[in-house]
Amino acid sequence: MAYSDKVLDHYSHPRNVGSMDKNDPNVGTGMVGAPECGDVMKLQVKVDEATGIIADAKFKTFGCGSAIASSSLATEWLKGKTVDEALAIKNTDIVNELSLPPVKIHCSVLAEDAIKAAIGDYKKKQGAHKPAGETVAS
Amino acid sequence: MSTEVKAPEGVKLPIYMDNHATTPLDPRVLEAMLPYFGAKFGNAASRNHSFGWEAEEAVEQAREQIAKLIGATAKEIIFTSGATESNNLAIKGVAEMYREKGNHIITCATEHKAVLDTCKRLEKYGYRVTYLPPGKDGLIDLDDLKRAMDDKTILVTIMAANNEIGVLQPIEQIGALCKERGVLFHTDAVQAVGKVPIDVNKINASLLSLSGHKIYGPKGVGALYVRRKNPRVQLTALIDGGGHERGMRSGTLNVPGIVGLGKACEIAMNDMAEESKRLTALRDRLKNKILAELDEIQVNGNMEHHLPGNLNMSFLYVEGESLLMGIHEIAVSSGSACTSATLEPSYVLKALGLGDDVAHSSIRFGIGRFNTEAEIDYVANKMVDVVKKLRELSPLYEMVREGIDLSKIEWQAEGH
């Protein structure tokens, strides 16, 4: 299979590889996929409490080159975005940016799911963390 | 993964280490074939002039060379377009010829598709097929075979060596059992012929398939051994026409290809003992170097009854296609779904009871005649480097390191 230059670049030089403390209340963790399907993505975001902006993003992925590239790209895009902006990232954006062929579209879907799961986890933590009645946005 | 492992002097990239898929043509084979593309163009079936005689002589010499390699007689060799045709002819030919005797065929779940799909087609025509499950080590259980046999069984078809995991089935015992029960025994010996000694009388084979391009011969030519006595095996032809090959396979003979197949068999006959020693040593060197540097590796298939040049390993917690991407200058195969047309992981590895995740992580190395020790060392170093990098990326490896049991996790899998 021929990979696009961008997939090859992310595969050869993956951005933001690593893990953050999943118990940190400002860190949201999303893990999607399954080993028997051949891809598992773990994506984490760390949100700046004061600004509500994603200050850091990390990933680890078990999967094909396109899955690695999709999640690597996602971490690049997440940094500097607000939580709501992050949720607006669509799998089709990833497909277009990486020129993924049709058989690899599920990799981009998985990356979108990972973003949503990570943000969802963060929001859940914040909801549990904040005293009742307090609003997150100001 | 960026390439930090550099190829040493004398190692030319890309490296071909996929010799179960096909083998490069041996230059000695090419040399033997060349005249038959040129001046010696005659039709081996032309009985009335020297052009035909010349071609016929070359074909008969090849028949002798092939027969000698497998302990057969020349008259028992039928030329085909390759092992897929040989397998089709053997199985369908027996099924039709012996229909009145019975309609039951026994095979194994890890056979090549040329056998499995042929059997599946026969099921549509009213035949019964038993697909024996192999053990975890890839070998069939002779007691299972015994139990599967009944008074309607006409054919047992079990491969000599598996193309993915390299295990050698107990064909001598299978053949003895078939003889005892009066059942015909066909073996797809494509991967075994020329690599390990095979004698059709020792294994009591009724039929045996072989191919040119797996033994450093040309593509598009193969042969089927058909026993002529004790007992004589009869076949219904698949291809009708001029009655070539004693009526079992019509069609003008591919003389250059047949000459090449014959020469490849002759070379294999002469070199097999030494070559298998050398390939076994290279295989073990590759295996040991990888095992010394990496943990969480599974070696697939029984290693005691094994082809010299085959090594099938699962690099757990690393996905096969991403692994192949990292070693793109090395030609090997993966059992990963992502590398197959069907998006299903290897059915052979799954038949061994391996989980899909382990199958996804598997790589098949096929070491052959033209691989060198320097290439083995390069491949081993490269594998270690890439697997280590991909494991740094692997959430599964991280979790296993933390002591998490992956089987206890509820994965949020998509429908795929």
Side-chain angles (χ1 to χ4, degrees), chain B residues 10-29:
Chain B
V11 172
K12 212 176 130 229
L13 301 179
I15 294 169
Y16 188 75
M17 212 171 271
D18 199 13
N19 286 281
H20 303 304
T22 193
T23 53
L25 194 72
D26 191 301
R28 293 168 286 181
V29 172

Side-chain angles (χ1 to χ4, degrees), chain A residues 3 8 11-12 14 17 19 31-40 42 60-65 68 104 110 113, chain B residues 1-2 317-319 321-322 325-326 338 356-357 360-361 390 392-396 398-399 411-414 416:
Chain A
Y3 301 97
L8 286 172
Y11 173 82
S12 302
V17 176
S19 296
M31 176 126 74
V32 294
E36 53 269 27
C37 298
D39 29 39
V40 174
K42 186 181 84 164
K60 283 202 176 195
T61 289
F62 161 84
C64 65
I68 290 170
K104 295 297 181 187
L110 210 57
D113 290 347
Chain B
M1 300 291 105
S2 44
Y317 318 119
V318 171
E319 194 277 329
E321 187 188 334
S322 63
M325 253 177 108
C338 293
D356 281 11
D357 50 338
H360 279 301
S361 305
L390 286 171
E392 277 170 34
L393 238 69
S394 170
L396 305 178
E398 179 184 65
M399 289 161 82
W411 299 100
Q412 299 173 15
E414 284 288 300
H416 119 261

Side-chain angles (χ1 to χ4, degrees), chain A residues 65-76:
Chain A
S66 302
I68 290 170
S70 295
S71 39
S72 171
L73 175 67
T75 59
E76 269 192 327

